[in-house]
Amino acid sequence: MALNMTVSHILGYPRIGGNRQLKHATEAYWKGDIQRSDLEQVGRELRRDNWQIQREAGLDLVTVGDFAFYDQVLNTSLLLGAVPHRFAAEDEVTRGEVDLDTAFRMARGRAPSGESAAACEMTKYFDTNYHYLVPELHAGQRFRLASTRLFSEVEEALAEGHAVKVVLTGPLSWLWLGKERAGETLDRLSLLDGVLDVYAEVLQRLAALGVEWVQLDEPALALDLPGNWKAAYERAYFRLRAAPVKLLLAVYFGGLGDNLSLALGLPVDGLHVDAVRAPQEVDSLVDRLLPHKVLSVGAIDGRNIWRTDLVEVRERLAAAAQRLGERLWIAPSCSLLHVPVDLESETELDAELKSWLAFARQKLDETVTLARLVSGRVTAEDERLLAASSQAQASRRASQRIHQQQVAERLAGLSEADSQRDSDYIQRAEIQRRVLGLPLFPTTTIGSFPQTTEIRAARRQHKAGTLSDDDYQARMKAEIAEAVRIQEQLGIDMLVHGEAERNDMVEYFGEQLDGYAFTRFGWVQSYGSRCVKPPILYGDVSRPRAMTVAWSAYAQSLTGAPMKGMLTGPVTMLQWAFVRDDQPRSVTCRQIALALRDEVCDLEQAGIRAIQIDEPALREGLPLRRSEWSHYLEWAVEAFRLSASGVTDATQIHTHMCYSEFNDIIDSIAALDADVITIETSRSNMELLDAFGDFDYPNEIGPGVYDIHSPNIPDVDWMVALMEKAAERISLERLWVNPDCGLKTRHWDEVTPALANMVEAARQLRRRHA
Ligand SMILES: Nc1nc2c(c(=O)[nH]1)N[C@@H](CNc1ccc(C(=O)N[C@@H](CCC(=O)N[C@@H](CCC(=O)N[C@@H](CCC(=O)O)C(=O)O)C(=O)O)C(=O)O)cc1)CN2
Ligand SMILES: [Zn+2]
């Protein structure tokens, strides 16, 4: 094997800290408990620690620019001066230093200083569960360098003596992720030249600081791009080639596909590709790479937590190493932002399972070792890691705990009838109308009520063993009883128990299903200071016992109104977990569906007449490339139907979706055949319903009339007007009145008046349409 020096680096590291220090500090700052300088200090410490960790792991470059107090796409917007006028006076931007509180107001609508304003929109970053702040664009927009944070961070890192590579969201992906202002049409590419002026200036300044490499993230190159966007890539990168730094163009979350030639032809100094999602492209990239360029191969999975099979990857990369020599770089596939920080914190995870895993910190070691393996400069430590890797693969393959005979048999015995309700919606609806006795414009909510500090503290004490099982149960029951009382008092028609007992809608079920493991500190940033702890789906899934029946039955016992059971659907259970990579996701999804199906049937048996199966991640699971959509949608829809179809016609199945553009998958949403769908629409002003109306969505819909992401109390007239808009498109007997999503992040003093207004709106609608 060649004796070369193979550069190892990462695209980014989790910024939240091993103990979620960033969350605690930012939330304390927002509450006024700590000073701005304290928050900045926490930021500096996190950056310093993360760089130190990278260097100690042996990476050749440390990555600067991946830190953000809220979001890295927002940081790029600040750098470019893309700050809407409602957040800052012109001179704050022209001064070249946007205030941190301005950034927080853009992100959340308010901050310790400055006037509150409607926050920027937030949406999912490609196919991840990470949310970024959508850049607001408008015709004729001017851009100017408006933040110097990046340069100070570079100076911090250089002062620590690190070899620095800077990362920035690339100009075209930034524009791609942006959105024109409501009601405006805009050719986003018309803004490109202005944007590039600022990038050119930024690159100049970085060069002046002594930075050699700048990584420009262009994940948009993993998408189906329109022709004019492809052309714009050439225009942009030919323009940036003049910069006195080396550019590494980073593409991840998928293969280059039909953008491969385009990417290879761009005048940059290096290309990073995702060799986990598109290993098949590496050879042709190696064949065609121009001789002065480096190829950074993303061979360690940045989206999942399985330990890399180093032997296998070394073999796969042997030819590339031979041919490229020092021009081969090794990295994780994407930023490690998407995985938990450190496996070593998981002292309660059993040793076997733990040996199969690698979190961000462990992936650094894997990256460094792999780089040394491919270049043939192996240390004793590398040998140890290589052996451990092989052992982990062998132990996983042979493990008794992954495969369950009964699960396989049950899957094999499924027939088409299992994912089919007994009758069509029209007949079911008639029966359900009789059984449920609901008024026109029935009101309901999406499931969760505020997760108060008291609830979370009780759960923490329960987990720590200082609150007994009985006492914890009693506390949660009291919360449920209170939620029922409040809903009855408000006059809501279909009630929910409020989900007080759930830490998270996915983790809660993961904790109770066989085949899932869960961590104690496996936090991953979801948005801003909010994190999730995705469970680890390592084996065949089955349900040892009922999961929600006791809570729902208790809630139903308190009221004569119908109590809606509440479950997380199979696709979302899959999508928001770290999923096994040893069988197709479709098979795993079907296993989850069967476990949920049993829960649905048990809820029905316990007298629950309506059951909601949430699928907020259905849209997010859609592959980035259109050519793969139909296959995904087929198995995703089938899994949902399998979970829902074990009940009689009289049981009303609800589903809920949020966070998404649904227009292009409306047929599949209809194919779920849920009796009722509640869906996020209020922010888009019911635009979404155009799709449902045109298509003539056949079942019932609750278009969310209350934006739960905002602390504002929606007024009655506003909600009536939204529903009237909906009524123009959907027949009255198929409309429900409900919020956009669950209320867990809100406070009761926001929720009660908002729901009172919502109920009043429904009453007015009934009068108007009597
Ligand atoms: N998995 C998932 N993905 C999703 C969503 C979702 O709901 N779940 N929704 C969207 C994203 N929205 C989100 C909305 C809220 C939070 C959120 O509030 N997260 C909480 C953690 C929620 C949680 O697991 N809470 C635990 C408590 C964990 C905790 O912090 N405990 C503290 C103590 C807390 C206390 O005493 O107050 C500790 O152990 O130190 C519980 O309730 O049991 C946070 O960051 O703070 C996350 C995502 C899309 N993706
Ligand atoms: Zn939702």
Side-chain angles (χ1 to χ4, degrees), residues 94-216:
T94 48
R95 213 184 311 133
E97 195 60 76
V98 176
D99 193 80
L100 182 60
D101 276 1
T102 304
F104 284 142
R105 287 198 308 279
M106 287 172 72
R108 3 185 352 260
R110 46 186 163 169
S113 74
E115 284 290 307
S116 296
C120 294
E121 200 178 312
M122 195 167 67
T123 196
K124 297 279 168 95
Y125 191 63
F126 298 92
D127 63 349
T128 72
N129 195 5
Y130 174 79
H131 306 64
Y132 72 95
L133 283 157
V134 179
E136 276 181 37
L137 307 174
H138 61 90
Q141 190 166 348
R142 303 276 291 276
F143 298 92
R144 55 170 8 111
L145 185 56
S147 170
T148 58
R149 276 186 183 270
L150 179 66
F151 311 122
S152 336
E153 291 176 11
V154 168
E155 282 170 339
E156 284 170 27
L158 291 172
E160 305 270 333
H162 298 302
V164 168
K165 178 203 65 186
V166 170
V167 55
L168 271 174
T169 304
L172 282 153
S173 290
W174 184 81
L175 279 174
W176 182 268
L177 293 171
K179 199 174 154 189
E180 45 284 348
R181 290 198 293 225
E184 272 185 40
T185 48
L186 168 74
D187 171 13
R188 274 176 274 166
L189 292 176
S190 69
L191 304 178
L192 181 59
D193 286 330
V195 167
L196 289 175
D197 287 340
V198 184
Y199 272 90
E201 188 180 346
V202 170
L203 296 177
Q204 284 281 355
R205 299 250 326 232
L206 291 173
L209 290 172
V211 171
E212 185 186 4
W213 279 98
V214 177
Q215 166 192 326
L216 291 174

Side-chain angles (χ1 to χ4, degrees), residues 20 23-24 27 122 124 129-131 451-460 463 472 500 502-507 520 523 526-527 529-535 572 576-577 616 620 658-659 709 741 744-745:
R20 289 185 297 160
K23 172 197 177 64
H24 299 130
E27 289 181 356
M122 195 167 67
K124 297 279 168 95
N129 195 5
Y130 174 79
H131 306 64
Q451 281 279 332
T452 59
T453 13
E454 292 74 29
I455 294 177
R456 292 215 159 132
R459 190 154 35 249
R460 187 188 51 205
K463 284 209 165 153
Y472 178 69
R502 302 185 188 180
N503 45 7
D504 171 76
M505 61 185 288
V506 168
E507 194 183 3
R520 283 191 63 195
W523 295 102
S526 178
Y527 64 89
S529 70
R530 300 281 182 175
C531 301
V532 293
K533 202 146 35 69
T572 301
W576 289 352
E620 167 195 319
C658 49
Y659 296 109
H709 299 97
C741 189
K744 66 181 173 192
T745 58

Side-chain angles (χ1 to χ4, degrees), residues 758-769:
M758 190 186 86
V759 170
E760 175 54 25
R763 289 188 177 136
Q764 291 189 13
L765 286 158
R766 281 171 210 150
R767 281 201 293 275
R768 292 161 80 130
H769 293 274

